[in-house]
Amino acid sequence: MNEAVRVGIGVIVVRAGRVLLGQRQGSHGAGHWALPGGHLEFGEAIEACAARELAEETGLAAARFARGPYTSDVFGSPPRHYLTLFVLAHAVSGEPVRCEPDKCLGWQWCEWDALPQPVFAPLQSLVDSGWRPPDMS
Ligand code: 8DG
Ligand code: MG
Ligand code: MG
């Protein structure tokens, strides 16, 4: 078991009252619905990581990013501990592309109050905290 705490970035893209989620495959949390995101790289700025992961995974670009909440979660088997920094992407146009078909079964616009199940642990933790995206109608 790796006992280091890792930092993950989850990018929140909201459009018309729906949030963009992808169904994971091929790694831990397979089958779970998650935000676009990934590991913060050494020396990388938080917003730069959000922009990079969003582009790598969906092909989308945002005009600006705003820092959101964070969660701390131990999950999986063997257990891993992630600090997840959520970043809100604003003024995103275009439709998401499944850029990494080996890692994502597909992107879907989802209602915050009716998320497809199961939800990836850090996002479930955020939902359970009662937080909601501010631009969610
Ligand atoms: P990378 O190694 O290329 O940076 O990442 P990736 O290939 O995109 O892997 P990932 O599994 O999507 O993301 C890496 C880790 O980031 C993941 O194992 C757990 C962590 N992570 C969180 N929260 C979130 C989240 O909301 N969405 C995503 N996609 N990953 C998250 O802690
Ligand atoms: Mg990812
Ligand atoms: Mg990635």
Side-chain angles (χ1 to χ4, degrees), residues 6-12 21-22 24-25 27-29 33-41 44 49 52-53 56-57 71 73 75 80-86 100 103 107 120-124 126:
R6 307 179 209 194
V7 179
I9 299 283
V11 185
I12 298 173
L21 298 186
R24 295 172 64 83
Q25 68 168 331
S27 67
H28 66 293
W33 290 86
L35 298 163
H39 293 102
L40 184 68
E41 294 181 356
E44 189 174 38
C49 177
R52 177 180 58 74
E53 289 287 353
E56 286 177 356
E57 298 186 357
T71 61
D73 307 285
F75 61 96
R80 301 184 200 187
H81 186 178
Y82 276 94
L83 197 65
T84 300
L85 310 180
F86 295 93
E100 298 177 332
K103 293 184 179 179
W107 296 109
F120 194 43
L123 177 58
Q124 186 62 56
L126 180 66

Side-chain angles (χ1 to χ4, degrees), residues 46-66:
I46 291 167
E47 291 81 1
C49 177
R52 177 180 58 74
E53 289 287 353
L54 185 63
E56 286 177 356
E57 298 186 357
T58 72
L60 294 172
R64 67 186 176 86
F65 292 92

Side-chain angles (χ1 to χ4, degrees), residues 84-101:
T84 300
L85 310 180
F86 295 93
V87 178
L88 293 117
H90 292 289
V92 177
S93 54
E95 282 304 315
V97 173
R98 196 171 146 231
C99 298
E100 298 177 332

Side-chain angles (χ1 to χ4, degrees), residues 19 107 137:
V19 63
W107 296 109
S137 55

